[in-house]
Amino acid sequence: MSSSATEAPGTAGAGGSAREIDLEIGGMTCSSCAARIENKLNRMDGVTATVNYATENAHVRVQGQVTPQDLLATVEKTGYTARLPEPAVVRAATPAARTDSADGADGAAPTDGADGADDRRAADLRQRLMVSAGLATPVVLMAMIPALQFDNWQWLSLTLASPVVVWGAWPFHRAAWINLRHGATTMDTLVSLGVAAAYLWSLYALFLTPSGTTGWHLQMSWPWSSRPTGMSATATGADIYLEIASAVTVFLLAGRYAEARAKRRSGAALRALLDLGAKEVSRVVRRPDGTTVEERVDVALLAVGEEFVVRPGEKVATDAVVVEGASAIDESLLTGESVPVEVGPGDAVTGATLNTSGRLRLRATRVGADTRLAQIGRLVTRAQAGKAPVQRLADRVSAVFVPVVIALSLLTLLGWLLVTGDVESAFTAAVAVLIIACPCALGLATPTALLVGTGRGAQLGVLIKGPEILEQTRKADTILLDKTGTVTEGRMRLVGVVAADGEDRDVVLRLAAAVEAASEHPVARAIADGATAKAGAAGGLPPAVESFSSTQGLGVEGVVADAATGTRHAVLVGRPAWLEQRAIHLTPALATAMSTAQDAGRTAVAVGWDGRARGVLVVADTVRPTSAAAIAALRDLGLRPVLLTGDNARAAGAVAAEVGISPADVVAEVLPEDKVAQVRRFQDAGRQVAMVGDGVNDAAALAQADLGLAMGSGTDVAIEASDLTLVRSDLFAAVDAIRLSRRTLATIKGNLFWAFAYNVAAIPLAALGLLSPLVAGAAMAFSSVFVVTNSLRLRGFQPSGAAAAIDPPDR
């Protein structure tokens, strides 16, 4: 499940290696266009392509010697335009630098794939819609209201309808002609045929029958009936269909304009995400004399290893580590987490987050396309370009639908002529079939929902790698939770200080932390950090420890000067057995405290000096405050939570009890290499397994699971192996990921159902003469708008984490 970046222009890649290339496609007007391009690309040796109509994007996997230029040439030979996109971070950082490509040789829409092209396309459709609606309105009114039919009214109708049919409907005629030149038919072919047929029949009626004579009138036609009742006041003539040709054009333009606006709104979340990045940065430059200065430069000029300054209220320019200073970082725009994160020297920060308070000096660790923001953009873009399995049937239908509909229209025409001999009724029914059958809604059903769903997920810190993942979230019934870093916070914290009789807890902590501060062991760091943060440890830590030494796996020792008493102590911190070797024995009370901590799955160390045991310090990898509520929510979603950990059974059982997991669903003492075997064990039992993890040792299990979810605080290897990435380091993100994925899938299925049902029900009505072309055009436009609007409801998806968060349990 690789997620490689878009290939740069001109690169061919290694001969035998698989490469992934994205193309921006121009000139597509319906899902049939996408199906044609996809088929042409897939006929190339070593090429597997997916073309998405809604995103105007092709995702191509290439094996062999095929170059990007070969792909571009194939698309252009098919009758469309294509280009390699600029990197997402470049588009976001330098919008002014975008090059808007001109219209293609065939008059196709611009293909820069950027906001400017979308805006121009929408503006063009809006202009055509407004002008056409103004001209078509009197045409329809005169045709439907006999009182408005003055002498020679039909010629005014022709004058007003002609610009609508020719100029207003030009996008449909142009696309139909381009595809006809390449021996193909699309939805635009149906629209163009229907509008042109109604208009040409009207010209025939006006110029070659009495319908063009002065004083000829139409009686009012019922719009739901396809059989007109045109009888003149002076002579019999053929009915004209100028109101149908113009009104259908207006309806379809309105549908296309609504689609264009909705597609832009659908992609707004991703565009906003990519625009988060800072544009400039205060880079720290060292002079030859050793002094430093700050210079304001473009963020693109910043290199890995260089230092830069972020002031309060500024955005972090790129992924970095804190060198100097302390502050609170607002990560809400990336993770959806509303509470700022406190950072200090040594802490990692993510580009595009906001510095809320202190001044920070940072060292860049990732820049450009390697940053987390760029990775998120690639993941979301790649997911939006894909297709869910449920869309494949719609694609197959769309590929053959247009020729079938044209054949049905001809059969309808012949059938009416054979049965009734009424040319006008036969013609009207045939046109209605052409117009009502356009399955544009089928082509929009999946991509629009996927576009909105993945965009909303990106806003909430949930990244869906591909549309096929949606099916797995519905099927999963068991979820394996790695304990460390997933259910727990993944780092040790000081949770208790027990002092011997007659000893001061603050003194015990301060002297022990002074020795531990010289060690890099996780337990030592937890004790030192806990002492520093504890308000009761007056005066903080002593400045230094003398004669420090560490005994691997047993403990540390050193000489500490106690400023409060002016005395010096030889302090030992470590295992009780190690202290006993130095003739320091725990009191019964301290031994009980040690045993109680160990029974709870926590780590306890003894503290002693001057030949006596002085206390016990307890550290633990604390459970995240929201884990218990999140696990309950997962259970409500129909998932069986299972705790998977390498810790001993006592520690695992204590954590499971705290978060509400049954003892029978705890798998302890699992070695990293055995996690894959545990996933397979559940799969062999017939379970559909989801796995949540964050470390390198979780990567293989995440890949083996039916659904892999990687916590965003984890390693790149784990994120790469997963199906869903949770940017928020909160188990509620897993709940939201599954909820959003299932809701997106439900929306897709709902869209497909209504799109299929609409065509299945409407085509027979039109063929039987029970549906006029006027109503057919309105209904077809409405079906597309309905699908898009239904998909846009996903923008209102709300995360469950904020509402369900609870206070940390008492320890």
Side-chain angles (χ1 to χ4, degrees):
M1 290 178 285
S2 66
S3 182
S4 57
T6 301
E7 184 162 319
T11 59
S17 62
R19 293 160 291 138
E20 294 185 347
I21 302 172
D22 289 329
L23 304 177
E24 291 179 352
I25 309 297
M28 291 192 299
T29 56
C30 63
S31 57
S32 293
C33 300
R36 285 192 59 227
I37 299 171
E38 188 173 295
N39 289 335
K40 289 287 187 180
L41 290 173
N42 285 327
R43 289 175 185 171
M44 301 175 69
D45 292 337
V47 172
T48 303
T50 300
V51 180
N52 191 305
Y53 164 55
T55 59
E56 298 180 329
N57 176 280
H59 179 60
V60 187
R61 186 173 179 85
V62 177
Q63 184 83 33
Q65 298 296 332
V66 176
T67 67
Q69 285 67 33
D70 295 334
L71 300 175
L72 297 176
T74 298
V75 174
E76 289 166 359
K77 289 177 183 177
T78 310
Y80 303 88
T81 57
R83 72 172 220 166
L84 292 163
E86 299 173 23
V89 289
V90 174
R91 291 202 305 268
T94 58
R98 290 194 296 255
T99 302
D100 294 331
S101 60
D103 288 355
D106 292 320
T111 62
D112 54 9
D115 297 348
D118 293 337
D119 291 340
R120 287 195 302 276
R121 190 176 300 112
D124 177 70
L125 287 170
R126 183 177 185 275
Q127 182 182 38
R128 293 180 190 274
L129 173 61
M130 299 302 292
V131 173
S132 298
L135 295 174
T137 299
V139 176
V140 174
L141 291 177
M142 285 188 290
M144 304 303 292
I145 304 176
L148 299 179
Q149 297 173 7
F150 53 87
D151 288 346
N152 295 316
W153 67 275
Q154 64 271 43
W155 295 104
L156 176 61
S157 292
L158 177 64
T159 303
L160 295 175
S162 294
V164 177
V165 172
V166 177
W167 176 78
W170 178 245
F172 309 112
H173 301 319
R174 179 186 62 195
W177 170 245
I178 291 172
N179 286 290
L180 182 61
R181 285 172 50 194
H182 292 85
T185 56
T186 66
M187 314 303 173
D188 292 294
T189 306
L190 300 182
V191 175
S192 181
L193 278 175
V195 171
Y199 182 72
L200 293 175
W201 176 274
S202 300
L203 292 180
Y204 158 76
L206 288 174
F207 285 99
L208 299 177
T209 75
S211 298
T213 59
T214 301
W216 185 84
H217 299 283
L218 271 175
Q219 299 299 321
M220 182 176 180
S221 302
W222 294 109
W224 53 82
S225 171
S226 68
R227 185 183 178 91
T229 59
M231 296 296 294
S232 75
T234 58
T236 301
D239 286 291
I240 60 175
Y241 296 98
L242 293 172
E243 79 282 3
I244 291 175
S246 54
V248 165
T249 298
V250 170
F251 289 144
L252 299 183
L253 284 173
R256 287 284 172 89
Y257 177 59
E259 288 174 22
R261 285 185 50 124
K263 284 164 66 176
R264 176 166 175 77
R265 291 173 62 196
S266 301
L270 179 57
R271 286 193 299 273
L273 186 69
L274 296 178
D275 285 336
L276 290 178
K279 307 301 184 288
E280 291 185 331
V281 59
S282 295
R283 183 171 58 182
V284 176
V285 179
R286 286 183 171 81
R287 291 175 172 172
D289 60 4
T291 61
T292 60
V293 294
E294 297 176 19
E295 62 177 11
R296 201 76 176 168
V297 299
D298 190 283
V299 69
L301 300 178
L302 193 66
V304 173
E306 289 187 321
E307 295 183 359
F308 61 97
V309 172
V310 182
R311 297 174 179 83
E314 291 183 341
K315 290 180 180 179
V316 177
T318 191
D319 296 357
V321 63
V322 179
V323 175
E324 181 182 286
S327 182
I329 298 295
D330 182 357
E331 299 181 337
S332 59
L333 292 176
L334 276 182
T335 67
E337 183 61 52
S338 59
V339 180
V341 178
E342 299 289 338
V343 297
D347 291 332
V349 294
T350 304
T353 54
L354 182 67
N355 181 22
T356 64
S357 51
R359 182 179 186 273
L360 294 174
R361 185 169 174 175
L362 309 173
R363 183 173 62 253
T365 56
R366 294 178 177 178
V367 296
D370 295 328
T371 63
R372 175 160 290 188
L373 178 63
Q375 291 175 341
I376 291 173
R378 284 196 297 272
L379 284 173
V380 177
T381 302
R382 191 63 48 81
Q384 291 177 345
K387 292 183 180 180
V390 292
Q391 175 67 13
R392 299 296 177 181
L393 176 60
D395 286 346
R396 288 195 293 270
V397 171
S398 297
V400 299
F401 199 86
V402 176
V404 170
V405 168
I406 294 175
L408 286 175
S409 179
L410 292 175
L411 289 175
T412 300
L413 178 66
L414 294 174
W416 274 82
L417 289 176
L418 291 174
V419 174
T420 67
D422 189 335
V423 176
E424 293 180 27
S425 296
F427 169 80
T428 306
V431 170
V433 170
L434 283 176
I435 294 174
I436 197 66
C438 293
C440 295
L442 285 179
L444 293 169
T446 294
T448 50
L450 193 61
L451 192 66
V452 181
T454 53
R456 181 58 179 153
Q459 289 179 320
L460 300 175
V462 174
L463 307 180
I464 304 171
K465 269 197 174 178
E468 65 280 356
I469 306 307
L470 303 178
E471 293 279 3
Q472 296 302 330
T473 62
R474 180 181 62 84
K475 296 177 181 177
D477 54 25
T478 302
I479 184 164
L480 305 186
L481 306 172
D482 179 59
K483 181 180 77 69
T484 304
T486 302
V487 177
T488 66
E489 294 184 348
R491 59 176 179 173
M492 306 296 281
R493 294 182 184 272
L494 180 69
V495 296
V497 179
V498 180
D501 293 340
E503 299 293 336
D504 188 310
R505 294 173 71 251
D506 292 341
V507 173
V508 171
L509 176 59
R510 187 168 68 249
L511 295 185
V515 180
E516 294 282 34
S519 172
E520 292 299 324
H521 192 278
V523 173
R525 300 311 310 163
I527 293 172
D529 292 343
T532 302
K534 188 172 177 60
L541 299 181
V545 59
E546 301 174 9
S547 304
F548 173 82
S549 66
S550 173
T551 302
Q552 182 69 30
L554 296 176
V556 295
E557 59 183 314
V559 177
V560 180
D562 187 353
T565 61
T567 59
R568 295 162 62 83
H569 305 285
V571 181
L572 291 83
V573 183
R575 294 178 181 270
W578 184 63
L579 269 66
E580 288 177 358
Q581 294 175 8
R582 309 298 182 88
I584 298 177
H585 302 278
L586 298 185
T587 65
L590 292 180
T592 299
M594 179 75 71
S595 177
T596 300
Q598 292 174 342
D599 288 341
R602 297 172 175 176
T603 300
V605 294
V607 182
W609 64 80
D610 299 341
R612 288 181 53 197
R614 309 288 177 162
V616 170
L617 304 180
V618 181
V619 298
D621 180 9
T622 55
V623 173
R624 295 184 188 273
T626 58
S627 289
I631 288 171
L634 289 171
R635 192 176 284 109
D636 290 341
L637 290 173
L639 296 166
R640 171 190 170 191
V642 176
L643 187 67
L644 194 65
T645 178
D647 285 352
N648 60 66
R650 286 194 304 175
V655 171
E658 189 170 350
V659 298
I661 293 178
S662 168
D665 290 329
V666 176
V667 183
E669 301 180 11
V670 178
L671 296 175
E673 58 269 25
D674 292 336
K675 289 186 177 181
V676 174
Q678 292 296 329
V679 173
R680 287 178 180 151
R681 180 171 69 85
F682 282 96
Q683 290 174 329
D684 292 342
R687 313 291 293 187
Q688 290 289 319
V689 179
M691 166 81 183
V692 184
D694 72 332
V696 173
N697 60 347
D698 297 323
L702 289 171
Q704 174 65 34
D706 300 295
L707 178 68
L709 299 91
M711 302 290 280
S713 59
T715 64
D716 291 344
V717 176
I719 292 172
E720 186 69 23
S722 67
D723 302 307
L724 293 165
T725 300
L726 314 175
V727 179
R728 291 168 15 223
S729 297
D730 178 356
L731 197 53
F732 258 118
V735 178
D736 291 336
I738 294 173
R739 286 180 56 238
L740 178 59
S741 297
R742 288 182 176 180
R743 184 168 168 184
T744 302
L745 180 63
T747 301
I748 289 173
K749 290 187 173 181
N751 286 347
L752 288 172
F753 169 79
W754 286 110
F756 274 116
Y758 159 82
N759 282 286
V760 169
I763 291 177
L765 290 177
L768 293 173
L770 301 176
L771 202 63
S772 80
L774 196 66
V775 175
M780 198 206 80
F782 173 77
S783 69
S784 296
V785 174
F786 169 81
V787 164
V788 172
T789 304
N790 188 46
S791 300
L792 286 174
R793 294 191 304 118
L794 288 169
R795 297 176 70 194
F797 177 86
Q798 294 299 320
S800 56
I806 61 172
D807 293 329
D810 294 334
R811 303 189 189 284

